[in-house]
């Protein structure tokens, strides 16, 4: 059993900043990749940022230079720092984690957070 809890969403003015957090708990032996996705109303879910266990990052072109993903392995937590926010960033943001559950099955699970709403509006 692995669960993700997200926090940090809210209402912010254009040009403002928010920091999202996602913490994993449960039966976890090791966490591999961690990432953030978003889904705006009426649109498909899209990748925002991803970070590997070695700290290698990649970003959607629309957020590169404005957003930064990071992780704290001791806390099983991934963050998304969002700066210079634009109205088109408005969406529900979802954390995604690949986690190995250890003994006895050593399965790797893909787990999603519950989503946190970010609204950028004046």
């Amino acid at each position: 059993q692995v669960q993700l809890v997200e926090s940090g969403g809210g209402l912010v003015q254009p040009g403002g900043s928010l920091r999202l957090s996602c913490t994993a708990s449960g039966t976890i032996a090791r966490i591999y990749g961690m990432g953030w996705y978003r889904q705006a109303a009426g649109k498909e879910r899209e990748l925002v940022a991803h970070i590997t266990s070695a700290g290698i990052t990649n970003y959607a072109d629309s957020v590169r230079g404005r957003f930064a993903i990071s992780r704290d392995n001791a806390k099983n937590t991934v963050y998304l720092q969002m700066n210079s926010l634009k109205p088109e960033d408005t969406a529900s943001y979802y954390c995604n984690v690949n986690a190995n559950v250890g003994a006895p099955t050593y399965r790797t699970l893909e787990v999603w957070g519950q989503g946190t709403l970010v609204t950028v509006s004046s």
Side-chain angles (χ1 to χ4, degrees):
Q1 179 178 325
V2 179
Q3 296 176 332
L4 306 180
V5 177
E6 302 179 25
S7 63
L11 175 64
V12 65
Q13 295 182 346
S17 298
L18 286 174
R19 188 192 189 214
L20 306 183
S21 299
C22 173
T23 299
S25 62
T27 306
I28 301 172
R30 183 173 298 174
I31 294 178
Y32 302 111
M34 309 178 80
W36 290 93
Y37 293 74
R38 68 186 181 188
Q39 187 167 20
K43 302 189 69 175
E44 288 287 304
R45 183 177 59 192
E46 64 176 352
L47 176 69
V48 177
H50 183 267
I51 184 168
T52 71
S53 60
I56 300 172
T57 60
N58 65 81
Y59 298 92
D61 189 63
S62 59
V63 308
R64 188 174 293 109
R66 300 188 296 119
F67 291 10
I69 188 171
S70 61
R71 62 191 288 169
D72 185 335
N73 292 330
K75 297 180 179 180
N76 287 338
T77 298
V78 61
Y79 306 95
L80 185 67
Q81 179 67 46
M82 303 185 293
N83 300 322
S84 301
L85 283 162
K86 305 174 180 180
E88 50 262 47
D89 296 318
T90 296
S92 290
Y93 285 71
Y94 297 89
C95 178
N96 176 269
V97 170
N98 286 106
N100 190 279
V101 301
T105 64
Y106 296 97
R107 292 181 297 166
T108 296
L109 304 179
E110 184 180 65
V111 186
W112 292 90
Q114 82 279 8
T116 184
L117 180 62
V118 172
T119 303
V120 184
S121 176
S122 58

